[in-house]
Amino acid sequence: MSATPYQQLEQEWRRLHAFRGALSLLRWDAAVMMPRGSAELRGEQVAALETEYHALLTTPKITRLLDRAKANSQGLEDWQLANLREMQRQRDHAIATPVMLISRLAKATARAENSWAQARRENNFALFAPHLDEVLMLVRDKAALLGQALNLPAYDALVDEFSPGIGTADIDGLFKALSRKLPGMIRAASEAQSGQEVLPLIGKFSSSRQRALVVEIMKAIGFSFERGRLDESEHPFTEGVAGDMRITTRFDAADPFTGLLGAMHETGHAMYDLGMPLAWRDQPVGRDRGMALEESQSLLLEMIIGRSAPFLRYLQPLLQKHYGATGPEWEFANLHLLMTRVRRSLIRVDADEMSYSLHIMQRYDIEKQLLAGKLAVRDLPEAWNAGMEQRFGSRPAGTVDGCLQDMHWAIGSFGYFPSYALGLVIAAQLWEALRTELPEVDTLIERGEFAPIFGWLRDNMHGFGAKLPIKDLIKQASGQALSANALLRYLQGKYLAETP
Amino acid sequence: MSATPYQQLEQEWRRLHAFRGALSLLRWDAAVMMPRGSAELRGEQVAALETEYHALLTTPKITRLLDRAKANSQGLEDWQLANLREMQRQRDHAIATPVMLISRLAKATARAENSWAQARRENNFALFAPHLDEVLMLVRDKAALLGQALNLPAYDALVDEFSPGIGTADIDGLFKALSRKLPGMIRAASEAQSGQEVLPLIGKFSSSRQRALVVEIMKAIGFSFERGRLDESEHPFTEGVAGDMRITTRFDAADPFTGLLGAMHETGHAMYDLGMPLAWRDQPVGRDRGMALEESQSLLLEMIIGRSAPFLRYLQPLLQKHYGATGPEWEFANLHLLMTRVRRSLIRVDADEMSYSLHIMQRYDIEKQLLAGKLAVRDLPEAWNAGMEQRFGSRPAGTVDGCLQDMHWAIGSFGYFPSYALGLVIAAQLWEALRTELPEVDTLIERGEFAPIFGWLRDNMHGFGAKLPIKDLIKQASGQALSANALLRYLQGKYLAETP
């Protein structure tokens, strides 16, 4: 008996999955292992495989098989139907973007990323501006083409690539609710904390000790080093496919927490990917349900669990064990003050969980204006500083701590930033539900017993892969529709419980 | 102006080259970095990319372009004509082997490699036999198809894949000359050495110290760590493409030389690959001229230079520097005795340069019989032991030190072994020519100045890539036709100079 069109499609995607894995390894190696002089060669390899991937995904054969499979879908089960829908989605996105545009974008972003790094080193935005202009023009073309194909406004089409099923209407609603409350809450929390004396953690924390601590915690969380690795890189990231997950972090010898929290963030991503339905691991339906949910998992572990009192009770003896650290600054009370400090930092990655969303709103407003042509690249630094003044009450000293702090725009990732804020909102919803259904969660965390937590996440979210639309999945897992309320309740309870 | 057929072919091979680089990284990572549990996933990735590579190489488009380019070759230069010939060769080899056979062979060899390792652990040939049988059947099919397509006898077709332009007639001629002289020379050298007292090197040599020593020597040789890496793996190997060469070795804490000589061997391969004509680096003509020449470069560095008196004079102070090693056993005289010992080891990789070729003859005889069906797999151990008795005067204690010692047959590499013996023969020819044209070579080596040696190799051999047929290249570089005479003169001079 010959294979059905649907079965043939699964076979095609098995091949695409192998390409994805190879591409992921090429990127991981470039950031972690590759000799410095090999960057150009690696760029050629990645471009060749991406072009081939795009070509395989957009052959007339795939289109024909998709049409035939949809016309004969009566016999398919739920998972297969969802898989077919995701295949169609991937193909529609790919075919909307001509390979020539992808190739030009790849080259322009490679140049822009270099010039961004140089502009940061020399605190000179002008070096970066023309390259960002070029990237922006190409991203505009891509957004227009995608929007046309998907029948979405241009910016929504970009968001849809990262987080299908989410649009500006959702984001605007969430940001409106958050911006109504957060500034006042931040002020109140800052005032409440103003009298606290916090002792700094001073010392030299070697990479090998930090690594040993992080590995112990990752193992407790459930990360498998039999099918994954932890390495160091300039910026933390997660690469790989289920079966070989590789995360990185960056250890700072003067700071015992940056490397740990970076690793917790990436472990959150990895645990999501490891929780996917194994039977579908090489198919589109067996993947994450977009970057908003990815960030919900990383921020749940880094921000909500990682800065919670029970986690710090679990962590405190581990700090003593690995750093031999003693003294009042290493006691639980001081650690807790340190990790829950509301600081109004002007740097996103240093932000506390209270003010984090404001950083994202700033970027969301600006990238929409850039894309629509309402803001010129040359005016970006001033627009950035004005926005920061309005949101945080002060301006950054230079563009390095201002509009040059993130690399997202340099690499063409317009429409990605909302994923972080959405992620935090969703993480708070999941956390609320998890605490109701697993009332002993604080005790478990304090004991370093993470299995029930990830069991719950797997049962309610991870295990569904991309089977459900994002909003249905959020509703199913958290019992609530997507809304900022859970995040606001969580922040209120944690930072302002004693405020009237 | 649109691209000519020849130009389009170059473009196609640029893409294939990127695939080769990606495949090479997947293999390197599997042996050096990959978590153990990810082997099956990696196997799928490699198989998918290899299948795609094979498909790209055998499309009707390539065939059409080759025909059109050959029909319009008047305007092409020498290098382009040679490139066209190599393209045709690669395509002819690929199209002769159906993708289904490649895929079955990939799976059978993966199984056979596992069972080979298990058979070694348990000293039980019977565990391996059925898997070798399966591999052998598929290799026979492949050899028959290749032979038909290339108009060569089956075994010659396999050799042609590794070392184009070399056939059994050449190998038989060389082996006849060597086997006439070597046994008597080995006997004489052993007798001459029988009175010498050699002191063993005893100590614990940490990986980090061995690595530091090896890195210093590799840098002196000219290996660029800006575009390459040295790592550890179970078996030493070289992977990568020019621009990102990665070699590995294996450090044995009880032995200061295994890791060094392994690294020298692989550095020889890497220096050949690094010496290729840069302008052709992503084209077939910009590659090595087959495995016999590859092995000539690795054995020249490992065996001829690495065990020479001048090299040991260069090495001796480095051993002191890195190991703090002193005492009579670390003096030049003892090191020289150690490294030039003729031992009649029954293990190929421990063999001295005098008896090395006998090991290859043993494998050559046996693999031809296996392929022709004149020797059954179940009779292999006895045939092996009989051959060793005849060649070395003794039998191995078990199959681990007998016919299970190499993994080549398990991974389907029939026809590869002659490359080693050919390599040694060619290395001796090159060495003879090099010493004539660079009379100060001993002084240079003693000072650790390797640049003139590799400059000579680049000018006379490396820089020609695959432009010339192998025999022309050997003739051009060494001034002699392929022959065993130089190797016999070299061995005579080194080991038997004082024998009448």
Side-chain angles (χ1 to χ4, degrees):
Chain A
M1 206 178 86
S2 69
T4 66
Y6 174 78
Q7 287 167 332
Q8 290 180 57
L9 284 169
E10 280 200 354
Q11 192 52 43
E12 293 291 320
W13 255 272
R14 243 165 245 133
R15 189 156 60 139
L16 288 167
H17 179 72
F19 269 77
R20 274 187 59 229
L23 273 163
S24 188
L25 183 71
L26 288 167
R27 283 191 296 263
W28 173 84
D29 181 85
V32 180
M33 296 292 163
M34 188 180 75
R36 284 193 308 162
S38 309
E40 196 182 327
L41 173 68
R42 179 57 48 85
E44 292 167 12
Q45 293 165 344
V46 169
L49 260 71
E50 275 180 351
T51 306
E52 204 57 34
Y53 184 88
H54 187 273
L56 289 171
L57 188 49
T58 54
T59 50
K61 183 182 174 194
I62 295 273
T63 307
R64 210 161 46 233
L65 286 171
L66 282 169
D67 289 344
R68 288 174 53 202
K70 280 188 296 183
N72 294 285
S73 65
Q74 333 64 288
L76 299 182
E77 293 162 18
D78 279 5
W79 277 95
Q80 294 171 324
L81 287 170
N83 197 30
L84 194 54
R85 187 194 63 219
E86 292 303 309
M87 288 167 167
Q88 181 77 48
R89 194 180 105 73
Q90 287 188 8
R91 179 259 176 209
D92 290 349
H93 269 265
I95 219 160
T97 329
V99 69
M100 188 56 85
L101 178 56
I102 291 178
S103 154
R104 286 176 63 198
L105 204 47
K107 284 170 197 152
T109 52
R111 281 191 296 270
E113 192 183 340
N114 270 333
S115 79
W116 168 77
Q118 199 194 343
R120 272 178 63 84
R121 280 193 301 273
E122 305 182 19
N123 193 17
N124 183 353
F125 179 78
L127 294 175
F128 176 52
H131 297 283
L132 179 57
D133 245 335
E134 195 191 354
V135 169
L136 188 56
M137 263 173 38
L138 294 167
V139 169
R140 256 187 223 129
D141 287 351
K142 180 179 159 182
L145 289 167
L146 265 182
Q148 228 164 9
L150 307 173
N151 199 19
L152 287 173
Y155 185 79
D156 286 65
L158 295 179
V159 174
D160 189 76
E161 229 190 339
F162 296 118
S163 291
I166 296 282
T168 42
D170 304 301
I171 301 167
D172 288 339
L174 294 172
F175 283 179
K176 201 171 159 195
L178 289 172
S179 60
R180 211 164 26 216
K181 298 276 184 129
L182 282 180
M185 289 170 71
I186 292 171
R187 217 168 14 248
S190 294
E191 275 164 29
Q193 292 181 349
S194 63
Q196 298 165 346
E197 197 199 348
V198 185
L199 307 171
L201 302 178
I202 293 164
K204 203 164 166 289
F205 311 96
S206 73
S207 285
S208 61
R209 278 165 194 261
Q210 290 205 43
R211 187 185 153 82
L213 171 73
V214 167
V215 166
E216 181 169 349
I217 293 172
M218 285 173 68
K219 283 184 179 164
I221 289 170
F223 184 91
S224 162
F225 285 90
E226 278 290 295
R227 290 166 187 272
R229 291 180 56 101
L230 167 70
D231 294 276
E232 288 181 65
S233 68
E234 185 64 24
H235 303 283
F237 67 82
T238 301
E239 278 288 359
V241 291
D244 188 358
M245 293 301 306
R246 302 189 177 188
I247 76 163
T248 69
T249 191
R250 191 175 64 81
F251 294 120
D252 175 348
D255 174 355
F257 285 124
T258 312
L260 170 62
L261 290 173
M264 297 267 293
H265 183 103
E266 303 308 328
T267 303
H269 286 303
M271 293 303 290
Y272 184 20
D273 295 334
L274 291 170
M276 296 292 148
L278 206 61
W280 295 96
R281 69 176 180 77
D282 52 13
Q283 296 297 314
V285 77
R287 289 186 58 186
D288 61 84
R289 179 73 290 179
M291 295 317 294
L293 282 196
E294 275 286 359
E295 294 301 340
S296 80
Q297 298 308 289
S298 53
L299 294 172
L300 176 62
L301 201 50
E302 177 202 353
M303 289 268 189
I304 298 184
I305 294 177
R307 290 156 191 264
S308 69
F311 185 80
L312 294 171
R313 286 204 183 87
Y314 160 65
L315 180 65
Q316 199 252 351
L318 293 178
L319 293 171
Q320 288 199 354
K321 172 180 164 188
H322 288 279
Y323 301 143
T326 52
E329 73 272 33
W330 295 95
E331 295 301 324
F332 166 78
N334 188 60
L335 294 176
H336 191 246
L337 287 177
L338 260 174
M339 296 294 267
T340 54
R341 200 95 188 124
V342 175
R343 276 165 312 180
R344 296 200 221 200
S345 162
L346 298 184
I347 306 289
R348 177 180 64 89
V349 295
D350 295 339
D352 54 84
E353 50 188 346
M354 194 90 145
S355 48
Y356 189 78
S357 308
L358 296 184
H359 286 275
I360 303 307
M361 293 179 205
Q362 157 97 356
R363 286 153 179 78
Y364 173 67
D365 284 354
I366 288 179
E367 73 179 10
K368 280 203 303 179
Q369 290 181 47
L370 283 170
L371 198 75
K374 291 180 188 161
L375 174 65
V377 164
R378 67 171 177 283
D379 299 327
L380 169 57
E382 177 48 32
W384 183 279
N385 294 350
M388 291 307 278
E389 173 130 47
Q390 189 209 323
R391 288 189 172 86
F392 291 89
S394 62
R395 289 170 167 249
T399 49
V400 174
D401 290 343
C403 66
L404 285 176
Q405 66 180 270
D406 296 306
M407 73 154 72
H408 297 61
W409 293 334
I411 61 172
S413 279
F414 286 77
Y416 189 95
F417 279 120
S419 313
Y420 294 113
L422 285 157
L424 198 54
V425 160
I426 299 163
Q429 290 188 220
L430 292 169
W431 184 236
E432 204 167 68
L434 196 154
R435 295 182 69 81
T436 310
E437 300 189 23
L438 207 69
E440 69 280 26
V441 62
D442 284 351
T443 317
L444 291 168
I445 293 175
E446 203 171 319
R447 289 198 202 128
E449 291 172 14
F450 295 92
I453 298 173
F454 286 95
W456 186 90
L457 286 168
R458 192 166 295 206
D459 290 346
N460 289 280
M461 185 187 139
H462 300 178
F464 289 88
K467 190 184 175 201
L468 307 177
I470 182 170
K471 287 179 185 167
D472 295 355
L473 184 54
I474 293 170
K475 183 78 196 291
Q476 172 186 285
S478 72
Q480 312 162 34
L482 178 65
S483 131
N485 293 337
L487 178 59
L488 290 169
R489 279 194 294 269
Y490 161 74
L491 293 172
Q492 178 77 29
K494 181 163 175 183
Y495 291 90
L496 300 162
E498 281 144 67
T499 321
Chain B
M1 207 179 86
S2 68
T4 66
Y6 174 77
Q7 287 167 332
Q8 289 179 59
L9 284 169
E10 280 201 355
Q11 192 53 43
E12 293 291 321
W13 255 273
R14 244 166 245 133
R15 189 155 60 138
L16 289 167
H17 178 73
F19 268 77
R20 274 187 58 230
L23 273 163
S24 189
L25 183 71
L26 288 168
R27 284 190 296 262
W28 173 84
D29 181 85
V32 180
M33 295 291 163
M34 189 180 73
R36 284 194 307 162
S38 309
E40 196 183 328
L41 173 68
R42 180 57 48 85
E44 292 166 13
Q45 292 165 345
V46 169
L49 260 72
E50 275 179 351
T51 306
E52 203 58 34
Y53 184 88
H54 186 273
L56 288 171
L57 188 49
T58 54
T59 50
K61 183 182 173 191
I62 294 273
T63 307
R64 210 161 47 231
L65 285 172
L66 282 169
D67 290 343
R68 289 174 52 202
K70 281 188 297 183
N72 294 284
S73 66
Q74 333 65 290
L76 299 181
E77 293 162 17
D78 279 4
W79 278 95
Q80 293 171 323
L81 286 170
N83 198 30
L84 194 55
R85 187 194 63 220
E86 293 303 309
M87 287 169 168
Q88 182 77 50
R89 194 180 105 72
Q90 287 188 8
R91 180 259 177 208
D92 290 349
H93 269 265
I95 218 160
T97 330
V99 68
M100 188 56 86
L101 178 56
I102 291 178
S103 155
R104 285 175 64 197
L105 203 47
K107 282 170 199 154
T109 52
R111 280 191 296 270
E113 193 184 339
N114 269 334
S115 79
W116 169 77
Q118 198 195 344
R120 273 178 62 83
R121 279 192 302 272
E122 304 181 19
N123 192 18
N124 183 352
F125 179 79
L127 294 175
F128 176 52
H131 297 282
L132 179 58
D133 244 335
E134 194 191 354
V135 169
L136 187 57
M137 263 173 37
L138 294 168
V139 169
R140 255 186 223 131
D141 287 351
K142 180 179 159 181
L145 289 168
L146 265 181
Q148 226 163 10
L150 306 173
N151 200 18
L152 288 172
Y155 185 80
D156 286 66
L158 295 180
V159 174
D160 188 76
E161 228 190 340
F162 297 118
S163 293
I166 297 282
T168 42
D170 304 300
I171 300 167
D172 288 339
L174 293 173
F175 284 178
K176 200 169 159 195
L178 289 171
S179 60
R180 208 160 33 214
K181 297 278 185 130
L182 282 180
M185 289 170 73
I186 292 170
R187 213 163 23 243
S190 295
E191 276 164 30
Q193 292 181 349
S194 63
Q196 299 164 346
E197 195 201 350
V198 185
L199 307 171
L201 303 177
I202 292 165
K204 201 163 167 292
F205 311 97
S206 72
S207 285
S208 60
R209 277 164 193 260
Q210 292 205 43
R211 187 187 154 82
L213 171 73
V214 167
V215 165
E216 181 168 349
I217 293 171
M218 285 172 69
K219 283 183 179 166
I221 289 170
F223 183 90
S224 163
F225 285 90
E226 279 289 294
R227 291 167 185 272
R229 290 179 56 100
L230 166 69
D231 294 275
E232 288 181 65
S233 67
E234 186 64 25
H235 304 284
F237 67 82
T238 302
E239 277 289 358
V241 292
D244 188 358
M245 294 301 305
R246 303 189 177 188
I247 77 163
T248 69
T249 191
R250 191 174 63 82
F251 295 120
D252 176 348
D255 174 355
F257 285 124
T258 312
L260 170 63
L261 290 173
M264 299 265 294
H265 184 101
E266 303 306 328
T267 303
H269 286 303
M271 293 303 290
Y272 185 18
D273 294 334
L274 290 170
M276 297 292 148
L278 207 60
W280 297 95
R281 69 175 179 77
D282 52 13
Q283 296 297 314
V285 78
R287 290 186 57 184
D288 60 86
R289 181 73 289 179
M291 294 319 294
L293 282 196
E294 275 286 358
E295 294 301 340
S296 81
Q297 299 307 290
S298 54
L299 293 171
L300 177 61
L301 201 49
E302 177 202 353
M303 290 266 188
I304 297 184
I305 293 178
R307 290 156 191 265
S308 70
F311 184 81
L312 295 171
R313 286 203 183 86
Y314 159 66
L315 180 65
Q316 199 251 350
L318 293 178
L319 294 170
Q320 288 200 353
K321 171 180 163 188
H322 288 279
Y323 302 143
T326 53
E329 73 272 33
W330 294 96
E331 295 302 323
F332 166 78
N334 188 60
L335 293 176
H336 191 246
L337 287 177
L338 260 173
M339 296 294 268
T340 54
R341 200 94 188 127
V342 175
R343 279 165 310 181
R344 296 201 222 198
S345 163
L346 298 184
I347 307 290
R348 177 180 63 88
V349 295
D350 295 338
D352 55 84
E353 51 187 346
M354 194 90 146
S355 49
Y356 189 79
S357 310
L358 296 184
H359 286 275
I360 303 306
M361 292 178 205
Q362 158 97 355
R363 286 151 180 79
Y364 173 68
D365 283 354
I366 288 179
E367 70 179 13
K368 279 202 303 182
Q369 290 182 48
L370 283 170
L371 197 75
K374 291 180 189 160
L375 174 63
V377 165
R378 68 173 176 281
D379 299 326
L380 169 56
E382 178 47 33
W384 183 279
N385 295 349
M388 290 306 280
E389 173 130 47
Q390 188 208 325
R391 288 189 172 88
F392 292 89
S394 63
R395 289 171 167 247
T399 48
V400 175
D401 291 343
C403 66
L404 284 176
Q405 66 179 268
D406 296 306
M407 73 155 73
H408 296 63
W409 293 334
I411 60 170
S413 279
F414 286 76
Y416 189 96
F417 280 120
S419 313
Y420 294 115
L422 285 157
L424 199 55
V425 160
I426 299 164
Q429 290 188 219
L430 292 169
W431 184 236
E432 205 167 70
L434 196 155
R435 296 183 68 81
T436 310
E437 300 188 24
L438 206 70
E440 71 279 28
V441 63
D442 284 351
T443 317
L444 290 168
I445 293 174
E446 204 170 318
R447 290 197 201 127
E449 291 171 15
F450 295 92
I453 297 172
F454 286 94
W456 187 91
L457 286 168
R458 193 167 294 207
D459 291 346
N460 289 280
M461 184 187 140
H462 299 179
F464 289 87
K467 190 184 176 201
L468 307 176
I470 182 169
K471 287 179 184 167
D472 296 356
L473 184 55
I474 293 169
K475 183 79 197 290
Q476 172 186 284
S478 72
Q480 311 162 35
L482 178 65
S483 129
N485 293 336
L487 178 60
L488 291 169
R489 280 195 292 270
Y490 161 75
L491 293 172
Q492 179 77 28
K494 181 163 176 183
Y495 292 89
L496 300 162
E498 280 143 67
T499 320

